[in-house]
Amino acid sequence: MAKFVVSYVVLSLFCIFQQSNAASASYNVIKFGAKPDGKTDSTQPFLKAWSAACSSASPSTISVPKGRYLLKATVFRGPCKNKITVQIDGTLVAPADYRALGNSGYWILFIKVNRVSVFGGTLDAKGAGFWACRKSGQNCPVGARSITFNWANDILISGLTSINSQSMHLVINSCNNVLVRNVRVIAPDQSPNTDGIHVQTSTGVTITGSTLQTGDDCISIGPSTRNMLMSSIKCGPGHGISIGSLGKEFNEGGVENITLTNSIFSGSDNGVRIKSWARPSNGFVRNVVFQNLIMKNVKNPVIIDQNYCPNNQGCPGQVINYSISIS
């Protein structure tokens, strides 16, 4: 067991989400023209189903039956009139040609939505071609995150599996009240920048019961993140669970009230890590608890790195100025 405390105050906010049984409107993507063959572009049928659900005055469910559905870069945009449940019983697949997702940085994006729940399903981003492009040094796209929530509130993601993302698997950015539970992320240990879950500029995020096997951080926590609870996480392979990198900008929101408990690291490069650039910054890390952690074959169980500079390129050479309080 390992216990590591950054400051001594722990604030945990639990958000309890329940799947509603009162939904009075249901939208099956097949009825909008989606084909479960993994070959026919189903992007527009999915967007039409979303538009119908989003404009519904009553709670609604978008259902994705068993099968494989080809999706290109897709934006599910709000705000919507009522809560929406997305029930995925099949697999969403990205185009085989990684360049088809372009330079937008996303594959599936939910933006400015509230009260959205995503249950089940698999995302297959087919990232191997993109990783090979990066390894070869060619001129590659920026890489697409598999599923992103931007400026969203009261979100539930449950039972989702994400495999072989080009870049980060699940991104939570500028959100409030998010519960991620029983999620599984899978990517080879040498796949670049395939963070399992990345959280930044968000408040009230809970991640529980999830298995994260990646080529980068299992969970990464960026600036302006507060009141975050992680529990019952299985991490490895990967780079561990990281706060940071931080301090790259002078004006940067702090990270506080972060708890990780009852989790297992197995075969990961690192366990828990806090990393910041050696640059002047008004950012900070405080009120962090790492508790009841089991580490098996972990190279670096605990790291605080205030001279973070990946690949020793563009290192600032400045005096350490990032506030990390430890007790």
Side-chain angles (χ1 to χ4, degrees):
M1 293 227 197
K3 181 176 180 180
F4 181 78
V5 182
V6 178
S7 195
Y8 57 87
V9 179
V10 183
L11 175 62
S12 301
L13 296 183
F14 287 86
C15 302
I16 300 175
F17 296 81
Q18 292 182 339
Q19 185 174 6
S20 172
N21 294 318
S24 58
S26 182
Y27 304 97
N28 186 321
V29 295
I30 289 180
K31 292 183 179 180
F32 288 86
K35 303 294 183 184
D37 59 9
K39 299 177 181 179
T40 305
D41 183 3
S42 293
T43 306
Q44 288 304 314
F46 270 69
L47 289 173
K48 290 176 182 177
W50 173 263
S51 179
C54 190
S55 61
S56 172
S58 60
S60 57
T61 298
I62 298 172
S63 60
V64 182
K66 292 181 179 179
R68 294 175 65 83
Y69 300 85
L70 175 64
L71 287 186
K72 295 180 179 178
T74 306
V75 180
F76 299 111
R77 186 177 297 275
C80 299
K81 291 185 176 180
N82 211 316
K83 59 186 176 183
I84 298 175
T85 297
V86 182
Q87 178 65 53
I88 308 173
D89 295 315
T91 299
L92 311 185
V93 296
D97 183 353
Y98 62 87
R99 292 168 295 189
L101 295 182
N103 277 301
S104 64
Y106 66 83
W107 174 25
I108 298 168
L109 172 63
F110 289 85
I111 185 168
K112 295 183 179 179
V113 299
N114 300 317
R115 296 186 296 166
V116 169
S117 300
V118 178
F119 288 93
T122 298
L123 307 180
D124 182 358
K126 298 184 178 295
F130 173 74
W131 309 331
C133 178
R134 287 197 52 183
K135 186 176 181 179
S136 70
Q138 298 177 36
N139 184 19
C140 310
V142 296
R145 302 175 292 273
S146 282
I147 182 167
T148 301
F149 289 83
N150 282 347
W151 301 291
N153 303 297
D154 303 322
I155 302 299
L156 169 61
I157 305 156
S158 179
L160 180 71
T161 297
S162 176
I163 61 176
N164 296 335
S165 180
Q166 286 188 9
S167 181
M168 297 174 174
H169 287 256
L170 167 60
V171 174
I172 298 166
N173 174 57
S174 301
C175 296
N176 297 290
N177 259 8
V178 179
L179 173 59
V180 179
R181 69 183 184 200
N182 303 329
V183 162
R184 189 172 186 187
V185 168
I186 303 170
D189 60 359
Q190 296 301 312
S191 55
N193 302 117
T194 53
D195 296 51
I197 302 173
H198 178 70
V199 180
Q200 66 179 27
T201 323
S202 295
T203 300
V205 175
T206 297
I207 303 171
T208 185
S210 296
T211 299
L212 309 170
Q213 302 167 304
T214 75
D216 209 298
D217 293 327
C218 295
I219 300 173
S220 56
I221 302 167
S224 299
T225 300
R226 293 173 169 81
N227 305 338
M228 180 173 175
L229 172 68
M230 299 162 282
S231 66
S232 302
I233 304 297
K234 294 181 180 178
C235 171
H239 295 177
I241 293 179
S242 298
I243 297 176
S245 62
L246 304 172
K248 199 166 186 179
E249 305 297 333
F250 179 79
N251 291 312
E252 184 177 274
V255 175
E256 60 183 331
N257 306 330
I258 308 296
T259 298
L260 169 66
T261 186
N262 300 328
S263 296
I264 299 173
F265 296 76
S266 181
S268 56
D269 292 344
N270 308 306
V272 292
R273 177 170 59 159
I274 300 173
K275 52 184 179 177
S276 64
W277 292 78
R279 288 188 170 120
S281 176
N282 57 15
F284 59 85
V285 176
R286 65 188 178 208
N287 304 347
V288 175
V289 171
F290 299 139
Q291 189 173 41
N292 298 333
L293 308 181
I294 297 173
M295 302 197 186
K296 304 175 182 177
N297 300 318
V298 174
K299 295 177 183 177
N300 306 296
V302 178
I303 298 178
I304 298 179
D305 180 3
Q306 291 190 273
N307 284 288
Y308 180 71
C309 185
N311 304 316
N312 293 316
Q313 295 179 355
C315 300
Q318 297 285 340
V319 176
I320 294 171
N321 196 38
Y322 207 88
S323 173
I324 301 177
S325 58
I326 303 173
S327 65

